[in-house]
């Protein structure tokens, strides 16, 4: 359960942790609706209201809002190198969500990636199983800039015919990995792209085609 309190830290300097949502129930509900909207409509973007969140870097307000909305004490989370190296980030997530932070991505329900251009392979995350595909990892990419990178074409549930989508930074082989990932459906990971104020999503049910350049 997310808490709005800001307790003292344990770093020897009595530094307070950054506060969570001002109104945890209302704010989390509003964020949840936005996240579900973009998951149901792949490739669309919507502004995520983050209120006064000022989490420790490199955690961004948008990604912090996603975490406070979706994580709880029963959520295993993996952080990439930059996030894992920040004691302030780990303290923020543990206090406000209760989530456990894991050393290996394959066991995580959620993964936060602050350096997407050098992220690990999508195959490193939990792909789910035929019996329990919903146990796969949802990967959140930070610092995304939409319409500034290679364009892909999306088809599938939530898309009327086809739609174009572009986001970055991502690794050079990223979209090839996404195509392979989504061919596993109903297995495979889900993706959330977090920009400065907006988010977009790409569930594993979406068919992805590289657009010719």
């Amino acid at each position: 359960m997310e808490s709005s309190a800001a307790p003292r830290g344990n770093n020897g300097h009595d530094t307070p942790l950054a506060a969570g949502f001002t109104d945890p129930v209302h704010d989390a509900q509003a964020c949840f609706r936005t996240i579900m909207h973009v998951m149901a409509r792949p490739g669309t973007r919507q502004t995520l209201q983050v209120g006064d969140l000022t989490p420790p870097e490199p955690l961004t307000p948008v990604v912090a809002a996603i975490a406070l909305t979706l994580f709880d004490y029963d959520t295993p989370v993996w952080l990439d190198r930059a996030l894992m190296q920040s004691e302030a980030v780990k303290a923020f997530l543990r206090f406000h969500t209760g989530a456990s932070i894991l050393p290996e991505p394959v066991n995580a329900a959620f993964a936060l990636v602050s350096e997407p251009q050098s992220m690990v392979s999508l195959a490193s995350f939990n792909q789910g199983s035929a019996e329990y595909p919903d146990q796969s990892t949802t990967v959140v990419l930070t610092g995304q800039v939409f319409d500034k990178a290679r364009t892909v074409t999306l088809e599938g549930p939530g898309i009327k015919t086809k739609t174009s989508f572009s986001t970055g930074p991502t690794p050079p082989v990223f979209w090839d990995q996404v195509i392979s990932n989504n061919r596993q459906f109903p297995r495979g990971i889900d993706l959330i792209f977090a920009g400065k104020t907006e988010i977009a999503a790409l569930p594993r049910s979406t068919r992805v085609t590289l657009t010719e350049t």
Side-chain angles (χ1 to χ4, degrees):
M1 178 65 69
E2 196 274 336
S3 172
S4 61
R8 295 294 177 181
N10 58 359
N11 58 7
H13 298 287
D14 202 33
T15 303
L17 289 174
F21 285 138
T22 302
D23 184 341
V25 173
H26 177 270
D27 293 345
Q29 287 177 343
C31 286
F32 185 78
R33 287 193 295 269
T34 300
I35 295 167
M36 291 302 100
H37 176 88
V38 297
M39 289 294 294
R41 296 165 178 81
T44 62
R45 292 157 25 202
Q46 189 162 346
T47 298
L48 189 71
Q49 301 297 330
V50 300
D52 296 327
L53 286 178
T54 54
E57 295 180 350
L59 194 65
T60 69
V62 167
V63 175
I66 293 171
L68 298 185
T69 300
L70 299 181
F71 299 0
D72 60 26
Y73 68 91
D74 200 31
T75 306
V77 176
W78 179 82
L79 308 176
D80 74 353
R81 181 184 58 180
L83 291 167
M84 184 65 83
Q85 288 177 341
S86 171
E87 294 300 323
V89 167
K90 289 184 288 187
F92 177 88
L93 293 173
R94 285 173 175 144
F95 176 78
H96 289 300
T97 73
S100 56
I101 297 173
L102 305 183
E104 299 297 333
V106 70
N107 297 316
F110 287 89
L112 302 184
V113 178
S114 65
E115 297 177 331
Q117 64 273 23
S118 58
M119 66 184 288
V120 300
S121 167
L122 298 185
S124 303
F125 300 104
N126 188 344
Q127 308 294 305
S129 64
E131 296 81 8
Y132 302 102
D134 58 323
Q135 292 184 353
S136 64
T137 307
T138 296
V139 181
V140 183
L141 278 67
T142 301
Q144 295 297 286
V145 179
F146 302 107
D147 296 333
K148 296 292 185 181
R150 184 171 187 177
T151 299
V152 295
T153 300
L154 310 180
E155 301 176 81
I159 302 170
K160 188 172 182 180
T161 53
K162 299 180 180 181
T163 190
S164 296
F165 181 66
S166 176
T167 189
T170 57
V173 296
F174 177 76
W175 289 112
D176 291 325
Q177 292 180 12
V178 172
I179 290 170
S180 296
N181 173 78
N182 291 24
R183 283 175 178 164
Q184 301 181 89
F185 182 78
R187 297 176 63 237
I189 68 166
D190 295 322
L191 293 160
I192 297 176
F193 302 96
K196 186 174 182 179
T197 60
E198 294 181 310
I199 62 170
L202 188 59
R204 58 189 181 274
S205 58
T206 305
R207 297 186 298 278
V208 180
T209 305
L210 295 174
T211 302
E212 295 296 330
T213 56

